[in-house]
Amino acid sequence: MCTVLAGNQRVGTMTVIRYMIKTEHCAPSLVAKHFDVFDLVRGDGYWRGKHEQSISITILGAEADLEKIMQLAHEIRTQYQQDEVWITYESVTLRRVLRPYTLSRAAKDSQ
């Protein structure tokens, strides 16, 4: 799994896989059993013309994480008795934040 930290790190970019799981219900604790770092965003969705809660879970990882993603999606579908859970994934370029951006630095940059 890829863990991204902001701070003083080496310059560089890396290619990672951005996985997204779309579901109606999911507790963060279930995702945390499989992954240490993830985003969970709640919103509104529509399924077969009806409004429902929607959850998007985003995980940055490697190609090798696909099996863990599939296992997580299966657990979500089973535990919450959902008709379907969707997974999308794509290769993305990640650029690290090199150092904190402060007001003093912003003032310097504007000169």
Side-chain angles (χ1 to χ4, degrees):
M1 176 194 321
C2 172
T3 301
V4 183
L5 302 173
N8 294 324
Q9 297 186 15
R10 288 186 326 153
V11 174
T13 61
M14 65 178 79
T15 301
V16 298
I17 306 299
R18 178 174 45 208
Y19 295 97
M20 183 175 289
I21 299 173
K22 299 289 284 183
T23 182
E24 186 179 355
H25 301 286
C26 185
S29 59
L30 180 58
V31 182
K33 283 179 19 184
H34 297 272
F35 296 95
D36 294 332
V37 179
F38 60 91
D39 289 329
L40 189 145
V41 178
R42 298 176 193 281
D44 295 316
Y46 291 85
W47 174 246
R48 298 184 178 162
K50 294 182 181 179
H51 176 265
E52 65 181 17
Q53 290 180 328
S54 174
I55 297 175
S56 297
I57 302 162
T58 303
I59 299 163
L60 299 179
E63 287 184 35
D65 290 322
L66 180 58
E67 191 167 323
K68 284 174 60 177
I69 295 288
M70 296 291 291
Q71 176 64 35
L72 173 58
H74 176 74
E75 286 182 31
I76 292 168
R77 185 179 170 277
T78 302
Q79 184 169 329
Y80 295 100
Q81 300 175 2
Q82 297 195 203
D83 292 333
E84 294 182 356
V85 172
W86 295 358
I87 300 169
T88 61
Y89 54 96
E90 62 184 332
S91 178
V92 296
T93 301
L94 179 97
R95 184 165 187 79
R96 291 186 173 142
V97 176
L98 301 177
R99 56 187 147 302
Y101 193 77
T102 63
L103 288 176
S104 60
R105 179 165 176 116
K108 225 181 208 183
D109 289 348
S110 66
Q111 296 176 352

